[in-house]
Amino acid sequence: MKSLSENVFYNGLLMFFNITYPLLTASYISRILGAKNLGLINYSQSIINFLLVIAMVGIPTYGIREIANVRDNEIEKQKVFSELFIIKTIFSIITFLLYLCLLYFYSEFQKNFLIFFIMGFNLLMNIFNIDWFFSGIEDYKILSLRNVFIKIITFIGIIFLVKKADDYYIYIIFLVLGQGLGNIWSFFYSKKFIRLKVKKLDYKRHYKALVIFFFSAFVVSIYSILNGILLGIFSTPDKVAFFNRARQLQMIGVTITGVIATVLIPRISYYYSNDKEKYFSLLNKSLNFSYILSIPLMIGFIFLSKEINLFLGGKEFLPARFSLMILSPLVLIVTLGTWGYLQIIVPAGMEKFGTIIQIIMATISIILNLILIPKFHDIGASLAVLISETIGPILSFYVLKKRIKIKLLTNSLYKYIISGIIMAFFIEIIKRYFNNNQALILSALGGGIIYFVILILLKEEIILYILNKIFTKLRRKDSNGKAE
């Protein structure tokens, strides 16, 4: 098996760039395109992301598990990869053709045809998305380095070519290329590890499981993506832009804290079946890792919501701070929900239970969105997301605690809470004496340092383990240098 710490690092880099790429350009693009154009682009992205769930047909999660299970069997691994790739290709093409029909018949799309037409090519580029294969074999390094390289190139292109509000279509092209080129490169690079075959394949063996995984992903998309679509229908483009900015920031926090949960899918599935003691040990460690990151990020977003939005979009995007404050608790809540789903429900084969919880969340989300969005716009969408995504983890853990020994109140939790409170006081003091950008930089750096210093003083296990690793390596280098 590959080094777990290496997997965590590269998967974190991969996921971080996938979501933060739009924000790397936010400060520039927000001022060039304005809230209205950016809102239309966000609206089109919400629609495409919803359709991508159909095109991917549950393979991103299911594929990781299946490839991980057969990674030591080259023949079976080739068959599984080929079967899943061909299934996803068929669904991607069908979804793209349906989208073209929608583009032709729906008048709202025709008003902004160029935006929706260019964005639609993401559906075709999805054919070559095989990140699930590399995740299954635990090769996160190549995915991360690929993404970083391509995102940097497209970022440079945006800075040099998007100069005025009418250049919105150039920006959309770079958004599509940023994802598509990475997918195509990965597909051709994968030939070093696997060969695509079309004969003697058994597609039927995946149907039952894919239905469950697809339905689960589809239901999740209802409460995670549909609000952006409904906001575009019932409100104005600038409100879409405000909500999307807050949602992107919140998802960055979730992505950072969810690194461990995603990386551990292959290994924790193995331990669940073969070594229960190691399984529960790893489960507890990953929970503490989720806490140690999600708590300071949540606090930072709440107390620095104004400064963050001023920095990224200027005064025009200042209203997004209210949505960000509402959504910030989800950094912790969604992280816990993801931890429970990927590390307890999926390894235990309880996907049907997970789907039931997600159906409840989706139903609540639809009802709340239809009630709140027409009246409260982006604030209503934010409240609907907060409530629906909070109910899911509460119900999940209530049921799971009766079947599996889960201890959410870990021995280290109080240490994270104490450190987070002290960090919040520090941020408030900084904001009193410094202006927006200075306060943001000093709070982020100083607050982070104070948070982790307090954890060291409280002798928190993860921090001490990391420091011990660092000091051990430094001592080895020092002793090797003296020996030479």
Side-chain angles (χ1 to χ4, degrees):
M1 290 185 181
K2 294 180 181 294
S3 166
L4 186 58
S5 58
E6 181 181 340
N7 287 342
V8 170
F9 172 77
Y10 284 114
N11 189 60
L13 191 64
L14 167 66
M15 297 179 72
F16 186 74
F17 264 84
N18 279 344
I19 290 184
T20 58
Y21 171 67
L23 292 179
L24 290 174
T25 60
S27 184
Y28 177 77
I29 286 297
S30 298
R31 291 169 172 81
I32 296 296
L33 299 184
K36 182 180 179 181
N37 282 337
L38 200 54
L40 286 170
I41 294 171
N42 294 154
Y43 178 41
S44 68
Q45 283 180 308
S46 295
I47 293 170
I48 293 301
N49 288 338
F50 189 75
L51 293 174
L52 277 172
V53 174
I54 299 173
M56 289 178 177
V57 70
I59 287 175
T61 304
Y62 174 74
I64 294 175
R65 189 184 74 177
E66 293 304 295
I67 292 295
N69 288 338
V70 298
R71 63 184 171 189
D72 296 326
N73 186 330
E74 291 299 324
I75 296 175
E76 190 62 23
K77 183 169 65 175
Q78 186 180 47
K79 285 186 65 178
V80 170
F81 169 78
S82 300
E83 289 159 0
L84 296 180
F85 179 82
I86 292 171
I87 290 172
K88 188 165 70 68
T89 298
I90 293 170
F91 272 85
S92 296
I93 294 172
I94 292 173
T95 306
F96 179 71
L97 293 176
L98 290 174
Y99 177 72
L100 290 181
C101 294
L102 187 65
L103 198 62
Y104 180 78
F105 289 108
Y106 189 41
S107 60
E108 185 66 28
F109 289 175
Q110 292 176 3
K111 292 177 184 177
N112 301 284
F113 178 82
L114 193 58
I115 291 177
F116 290 98
F117 178 73
I118 298 173
M119 196 66 75
F121 281 94
N122 264 328
L123 294 170
L124 284 182
M125 296 293 189
N126 177 63
I127 292 173
F128 302 99
N129 185 346
I130 56 169
D131 289 1
W132 47 273
F133 169 75
F134 287 103
S135 296
I137 63 173
E138 296 190 66
D139 191 347
Y140 296 101
K141 180 178 180 179
I142 193 62
L143 292 178
S144 303
L145 297 180
R146 173 210 73 185
N147 270 28
V148 171
F149 176 74
I150 291 178
K151 304 279 188 209
I152 290 174
I153 296 299
T154 52
F155 173 74
I156 294 172
I158 288 170
I159 296 298
F160 281 97
L161 296 178
V162 181
K163 296 293 184 181
K164 55 185 185 297
D166 291 339
D167 291 338
Y168 64 87
Y169 66 93
I170 299 177
Y171 175 62
I172 299 172
I173 289 173
F174 277 113
L175 288 179
V176 174
L177 289 177
Q179 184 65 41
L181 291 179
N183 291 342
I184 293 172
W185 186 88
S186 292
F187 176 73
F188 286 103
Y189 180 80
S190 69
K191 292 182 178 180
K192 292 185 176 182
F193 305 92
I194 203 82
R195 292 290 176 182
L196 181 66
K197 57 182 296 185
V198 295
K199 295 181 179 180
K200 296 181 179 180
L201 300 177
D202 182 12
Y203 305 103
K204 292 182 179 180
R205 61 174 170 161
H206 302 291
Y207 290 171
K208 186 177 180 180
L210 279 178
V211 167
I212 296 172
F213 276 89
F214 163 70
F215 189 67
S216 174
F218 182 77
V219 171
V220 169
S221 70
I222 291 177
Y223 61 79
S224 63
I225 301 174
L226 191 61
N227 39 43
I229 298 174
L230 292 175
L231 192 58
I233 295 172
F234 292 113
S235 190
T236 56
D238 60 326
K239 300 295 185 184
V240 177
F242 299 152
F243 171 75
N244 190 71
R245 176 58 51 80
R247 187 69 161 149
Q248 283 180 327
L249 288 164
Q250 176 247 313
M251 287 305 298
I252 286 176
V254 172
T255 298
I256 294 172
T257 58
V259 168
I260 285 288
T262 304
V263 167
L264 288 178
I265 293 175
R267 193 164 301 189
I268 211 159
S269 296
Y270 175 82
Y271 284 152
Y272 183 86
S273 301
N274 298 280
D275 193 330
K276 282 293 193 295
E277 186 177 342
K278 286 186 177 180
Y279 167 76
F280 283 108
S281 174
L282 205 54
L283 198 64
N284 186 65
K285 289 178 181 177
S286 64
L287 177 58
N288 276 332
F289 197 96
S290 297
Y291 282 138
I292 201 173
L293 295 176
S294 61
I295 289 175
L297 284 170
M298 176 183 67
I299 291 171
F301 284 148
I302 292 173
F303 286 87
L304 294 170
S305 58
K306 175 186 174 183
E307 289 74 17
I308 292 171
N309 280 290
L310 277 173
F311 176 77
L312 291 175
K315 291 183 179 180
E316 187 180 13
F317 278 80
L318 197 54
R321 74 184 188 275
F322 300 114
S323 290
L324 180 57
M325 291 177 71
I326 294 169
L327 294 173
S328 292
L330 290 178
V331 175
L332 173 60
I333 295 167
V334 173
T335 297
L336 292 178
T338 303
W339 171 83
Y341 182 78
L342 294 181
Q343 298 191 32
I344 299 176
I345 293 175
V346 172
M350 299 168 60
E351 290 88 0
K352 290 183 180 179
F353 164 72
T355 302
I356 292 171
I357 296 295
Q358 289 160 353
I359 290 173
I360 295 172
M361 293 170 65
T363 303
I364 294 171
S365 177
I366 292 173
I367 295 171
L368 290 176
N369 275 308
L370 291 174
I371 294 173
L372 297 175
I373 287 178
K375 189 173 183 179
F376 300 106
H377 308 288
D378 51 322
I379 301 300
S382 301
L383 288 170
V385 172
L386 176 63
I387 295 170
S388 60
E389 294 198 16
T390 299
I391 288 173
I394 291 174
L395 292 175
S396 294
F397 290 124
Y398 176 77
V399 175
L400 287 174
K401 285 185 76 171
K402 294 182 177 181
R403 301 185 60 177
I404 301 174
K405 293 181 179 179
I406 303 173
K407 187 181 178 183
L408 292 177
L409 301 177
T410 65
N411 295 331
S412 296
L413 179 57
Y414 80 93
K415 299 176 183 179
Y416 309 137
I417 294 174
I418 292 172
S419 301
I421 292 172
I422 295 173
M423 171 186 163
F425 276 112
F426 173 80
I427 292 174
E428 281 300 301
I429 293 171
I430 291 295
K431 286 166 64 177
R432 288 176 181 268
Y433 296 100
F434 295 91
N435 63 28
N436 294 316
N437 288 342
Q438 290 175 333
L440 179 61
I441 295 170
L442 290 174
S443 295
L445 294 176
I449 291 172
I450 286 175
Y451 177 80
F452 287 106
V453 167
I454 298 299
L455 287 180
I456 293 173
L457 294 175
L458 293 174
K459 297 181 179 180
E460 196 280 326
E461 292 179 4
I462 293 176
I463 298 297
L464 294 181
Y465 173 79
I466 293 173
L467 289 175
N468 182 57
K469 281 277 188 181
I470 293 172
F471 290 138
T472 300
K473 287 185 177 182
L474 290 175
R475 283 195 294 267
R476 285 177 181 173
K477 285 184 179 181
D478 186 54
S479 60
N480 290 337
K482 290 179 179 179
E484 291 175 3

